[in-house]
Amino acid sequence: MLLALDAGNTNITIGAFEDGHLTRRSRLRTIPDQTPDEWGILMRNLFALAELDLTKVDGIIIASVVPPLDSVLTAMAERYFQTTPQFITPGLDIGMPVLYDNPKEVGADRVVNGLAAFHRYGGPCVVVDLGTTINFDIVSARGEYLGGMICPGIGISITGLFSRTARLPMVDFREPESLIGKNTVNSIQSGLFYGFAGLIDGILERVIKELGPETKAIATGGQASLILPASRYLKYINEDLTLEGLELIWRRLQKKK
């Protein structure tokens, strides 16, 4: 059994793969100051609830954008699963050229998303990852990671709006009942929903114009399913894209051994 971990700034998504198939997905809050034992106990509890056999884990692969967490997850893996995890690093041969000016700057999850999208949907393609930030990751028709864009995330924007204004309430992100809000909450929700839909479509329109009309646009991340209906260009949704990419890389690395 393979464990694939996508360690982001807000959440850690954990996928369990058996014979190449994702059998379980769980999500935990990212808490960098938790100890290896605390992470280990959480993992054991998740396995127990899912009725998975902890002893069957024979590999762990991690895409992390939280450097302080890396040593903690390594210690957890070695202590509770008796295996040293494989991290996605700039020098790792993942099977996709990274054409960033400095490949060390690009987040591990971004190149993994690009690889998974190209493998599943072909190229050219662009992944829109709606997480703490909104990342656009672009892959050429030849399977090259070209780069992309990073925008403020929906959650960050909601928190900023609430914390920097005296009278505006905190709201949840959802499709509004109508375009024109008739009260403050509905007005904020409409502005957020259609504002981010417009941001996403505005960038995708430019990307598709540059790469060609055959470009596939794929949404992933926590709010992907909410924003998809409002977009003119997002045609696919895959909430497990990063996990799938990690499993692909793991399989590639095992074949090279």
Side-chain angles (χ1 to χ4, degrees), residues 12-24:
I12 295 181
T13 306
I14 305 155
F17 287 87
E18 296 186 80
D19 299 323
H21 301 288
L22 181 64
T23 58
R24 176 74 179 185

Side-chain angles (χ1 to χ4, degrees), residues 3 12 61 66 93 109 112 168 236 238:
L3 286 188
I12 295 181
I61 186 166
V66 190
D93 179 13
D109 56 336
V112 171
L168 295 183
Y236 307 94
N238 188 337

Side-chain angles (χ1 to χ4, degrees), residues 100-115:
Y100 229 53
D101 289 342
N102 181 0
K104 293 181 180 180
E105 291 180 359
V106 63
D109 56 336
R110 297 182 64 194
V111 293
V112 171
N113 281 344
L115 175 74

Side-chain angles (χ1 to χ4, degrees), residues 126 136 138 149 151 198-208:
V126 52
F136 295 78
I138 301 164
M149 303 86 176
C151 305
L199 179 151
I200 289 168
D201 276 357
I203 291 177
L204 287 177
E205 182 178 15
R206 292 172 183 268
V207 171
I208 292 169

Side-chain angles (χ1 to χ4, degrees), residues 94-160:
I94 65 170
M96 172 173 281
V98 178
L99 304 187
Y100 229 53
D101 289 342
N102 181 0
K104 293 181 180 180
E105 291 180 359
V106 63
D109 56 336
R110 297 182 64 194
V111 293
V112 171
N113 281 344
L115 175 74
F118 182 78
H119 182 268
R120 178 176 280 270
Y121 304 100
C125 61
V126 52
V127 178
V128 183
D129 187 356
L130 291 99
T132 306
T133 57
I134 299 177
N135 297 336
F136 295 78
D137 298 305
I138 301 164
V139 179
S140 72
R142 294 185 294 181
E144 304 155 320
Y145 181 87
L146 300 177
M149 303 86 176
I150 302 175
C151 305
I154 295 170
I156 290 175
S157 299
I158 292 174
T159 302

Side-chain angles (χ1 to χ4, degrees), residues 24-95:
R24 176 74 179 185
R25 185 203 328 122
S26 303
R27 186 168 296 188
L28 300 172
R29 285 188 303 130
T30 300
I31 307 175
D33 57 356
Q34 281 196 149
T35 68
D37 287 327
E38 288 173 319
W39 282 113
I41 290 168
L42 285 171
M43 295 289 284
R44 282 185 179 275
N45 289 341
L46 287 175
F47 268 69
L49 288 170
E51 298 182 346
L52 296 174
D53 187 353
L54 199 71
T55 63
K56 288 186 177 180
V57 174
D58 53 11
I60 297 177
I61 186 166
I62 302 174
S64 171
V65 296
V66 190
L69 201 55
D70 295 356
S71 60
V72 178
L73 292 177
T74 298
M76 180 273 295
E78 293 175 344
R79 190 174 304 168
Y80 287 85
F81 296 95
Q82 291 75 53
T83 185
T84 300
Q86 171 69 64
F87 282 84
I88 304 300
T89 60
L92 189 67
D93 179 13
I94 65 170

